[in-house]
Amino acid sequence: MKRTPVKELLQVSPQNQTVNVKGWVRTKRGNKNVMFIALNDGSTIHNIQIVADPAAFSEELVKQITTGSSLSVDGTLVASQGSGQPVEIQATNILVYGSADVETYPLQKKGHSLEFLREIAHLRPRTNTFGAVLRIRHAMAYGIHKYFNDRGFFYLHTPIITGSDAEGAGAMFRVTTLDAGSPQRNEDGTVNFKEDFFGKETNLTVSGQLEGELGALALSNIYTFGPTFRAENSNTARHLAEFWMIEPEMAFYELDENMDLVEDMLKYLVTYALENCSDDLEFLNKMYDNDLLTRLRSIIADKFVRLSYTDAIEILKSTTEKFEYKVDWGTDLQSEHERFLVEKHFKKPVILFDYPKHIKAFYMKQNEDGKTVRAMDVLFPGIGEIVGGSQREENYDKLKQRIS
């Protein structure tokens, strides 16, 4: 019999139809007269309840059904007699694919800390938390591609192995075929990368931006979405060794159009998550962040604040809020400054623009004031900076001057 995912079964109107479900046991309870098995297959955060008569199965099979065991269950789909689930399966046949040792299987009904789950990375996708995160991540990846595709953007696969450092964004991971213990060296003692696979020093990419710009100058609107790597040894939530980054590049766009695009994209993705990941978001809202759903809905409802860097500095300097880092025009804003603006002052997302040119990359378009560039950062409540971007400098002389 063909397997039906748990997510689909929970949405079916029960009419005593015969079904097959396969998955992993979350819990088993009951007595000598009845056995209740909560089965989950990862298609949804919710389990489906299996009701079985222990007398109808061998004693050995019943003992094999423990938390973590993998089962195939044939049975009749009926309306649930208890609360908590709309339907349940009255089992007629149970096949145990693999039985977990009840004494050593590390995932039990109780909650587990994220630190503990880090120690059992091979099993953590079976938990509610990681299952929810993985399903949301899938939905966001699909939503990203759908958003740009529906608006005429072309998806570019930019190199993962590269000889360029993009914008000097940070330390890079080297990719080499040379003997790490004794690489061939030049007369001055430096490594002879001419003997390497590519004949030069190469690294894992920190950004697909350079290649993306080339694509935009032929296809007009492109986006990259792939893995990027940073070798900064900073163990904070804001520094990751490997992450996936979206980088749209649009020919003929100016800063206002850039800000319009990013606001529209973020609202689209939040809406997509609320519509397609409601169960998982409700779980995360309940277990980790009681304000999560309210905050996400407010992002859709409110227009983002657009605030110049100069005006932001004035707001920060005039507040009575105490900051660890001093605020002056020309300094790069810290997380505490960004979060104050979005969480306490405006209480909504903020797009900061027109930053001092000396704290931004050389390729950003200079404003007429000679002091600022047409760069923008999107600040989110609970996060801080979530998007950064800019209009590019097209004046050759100004660009050449900044490079030198």
Side-chain angles (χ1 to χ4, degrees):
M1 186 184 306
K2 185 178 180 181
R3 177 183 77 93
T4 304
V6 170
K7 183 177 181 179
E8 293 182 22
L9 288 174
L10 293 176
Q11 298 171 345
V12 170
S13 175
Q15 297 174 351
N16 295 326
Q17 56 267 60
T18 301
V19 298
N20 171 264
V21 64
K22 298 177 182 180
W24 297 271
V25 177
R26 287 292 177 87
T27 61
K28 184 185 80 170
R29 59 186 176 86
N31 51 46
K32 63 180 182 180
N33 298 316
V34 65
M35 180 168 55
F36 298 102
I37 303 166
L39 201 69
N40 188 281
D41 66 358
S43 61
T44 173
I45 198 167
H46 300 298
N47 308 319
I48 192 163
Q49 181 166 274
I50 312 297
V51 183
D53 179 1
F57 304 93
S58 70
E59 184 177 346
E60 180 183 359
L61 184 139
V62 172
K63 286 183 179 179
Q64 289 180 318
I65 302 173
T66 61
T67 297
S69 298
S70 178
L71 309 181
S72 172
V73 179
D74 296 323
T76 305
L77 189 70
V78 299
S80 179
Q81 300 299 308
S83 60
Q85 64 278 324
V87 298
E88 61 189 24
I89 297 174
Q90 294 179 345
T92 56
N93 183 55
I94 299 177
L95 173 63
V96 178
Y97 286 136
S99 182
D101 186 339
V102 69
E103 298 295 329
T104 60
Y105 187 70
L107 295 176
Q108 300 300 321
K109 189 175 181 180
K110 65 177 184 178
H112 298 288
S113 70
L114 297 179
E115 289 78 10
F116 172 72
L117 295 179
R118 182 179 286 272
E119 299 174 6
I120 52 167
H122 62 299
L123 289 175
R124 63 186 181 186
R126 293 193 188 185
T127 64
N128 283 333
T129 296
F130 278 86
V133 168
L134 292 172
R135 284 185 292 268
I136 293 171
R137 185 183 173 97
H138 159 78
M140 290 296 90
Y142 178 80
I144 288 163
H145 286 301
K146 179 170 173 55
Y147 176 84
F148 286 111
N149 176 75
D150 292 353
R151 285 153 184 80
F153 282 68
F154 298 101
Y155 177 36
L156 252 59
H157 299 116
T158 54
I160 293 174
I161 301 175
T162 177
S164 70
D165 189 12
E167 59 191 61
M172 304 177 76
F173 289 103
R174 181 173 296 164
V175 178
T176 181
T177 58
L178 297 177
D179 184 341
S182 56
Q184 294 190 35
R185 296 185 179 275
N186 300 310
E187 291 183 1
D188 61 0
T190 59
V191 175
N192 181 10
F193 285 105
K194 290 183 179 179
E195 298 299 320
D196 209 347
F197 184 89
F198 290 106
K200 61 185 294 186
E201 186 176 357
T202 54
N203 304 280
L204 294 178
T205 183
V206 298
S207 168
Q209 176 183 313
L210 291 180
E211 293 85 359
E213 288 179 349
L214 302 180
L217 294 179
L219 303 176
S220 288
N221 293 345
I222 67 92
Y223 71 103
T224 77
F225 179 40
T228 49
F229 307 86
R230 305 285 168 91
E232 299 169 42
N233 190 17
S234 180
N235 298 311
T236 74
R238 297 177 66 85
H239 292 84
L240 294 172
E242 177 182 349
F243 59 97
W244 280 57
M245 183 156 61
I246 313 158
E247 295 183 283
E249 297 290 346
M250 298 79 65
F252 315 114
Y253 262 53
E254 298 197 6
L255 186 64
D256 287 340
E257 295 170 288
N258 202 355
M259 290 190 285
D260 290 343
L261 178 73
V262 71
E263 180 171 351
D264 186 59
M265 181 198 73
L266 289 170
K267 287 185 173 182
Y268 175 93
L269 292 175
V270 171
T271 302
Y272 192 89
L274 288 169
E275 291 177 351
N276 294 277
C277 308
S278 57
D279 290 344
D280 290 319
L281 288 172
E282 285 172 8
F283 167 79
L284 295 175
N285 188 85
K286 178 181 178 182
M287 297 299 295
Y288 293 98
D289 184 352
N290 294 331
D291 191 44
L292 175 61
L293 288 172
T294 300
R295 195 163 63 248
L296 290 176
R297 293 182 183 119
S298 71
I299 288 168
I300 300 170
D302 296 331
K303 185 170 178 59
F304 293 5
V305 174
R306 298 191 181 185
L307 182 73
S308 73
Y309 168 91
T310 299
D311 289 342
I313 292 296
E314 291 304 314
I315 291 172
L316 293 168
K317 291 178 73 172
S318 64
T319 182
T320 57
E321 185 84 6
K322 300 298 181 183
F323 298 119
E324 180 181 354
Y325 294 94
K326 187 178 179 182
V327 180
D328 280 312
W329 198 97
T331 59
D332 209 354
L333 297 184
Q334 302 295 320
S335 294
E336 60 176 342
H337 307 139
E338 296 171 342
R339 295 189 66 169
F340 170 80
L341 291 170
V342 295
E343 294 171 17
K344 295 184 178 180
H345 189 81
F346 291 107
K347 298 181 179 179
K348 62 176 68 176
V350 173
I351 305 181
L352 282 183
F353 63 92
D354 286 356
Y355 280 84
K357 69 178 184 180
H358 67 271
I359 64 172
K360 288 296 183 181
F362 69 90
Y363 51 75
M364 296 181 178
K365 183 168 179 59
Q366 298 176 51
N367 285 313
E368 294 301 321
D369 60 16
K371 299 186 300 180
T372 61
V373 291
R374 298 184 67 73
M376 65 94 189
D377 289 331
V378 182
L379 313 179
F380 254 31
I383 300 173
E385 181 188 342
I386 192 171
V387 178
S390 70
Q391 182 178 338
R392 306 291 191 250
E393 181 61 77
E394 83 288 349
N395 184 299
Y396 178 75
D397 292 332
K398 287 184 178 181
L399 189 59
K400 190 175 178 181
Q401 184 181 34
R402 286 297 303 275
I403 290 172
S404 66

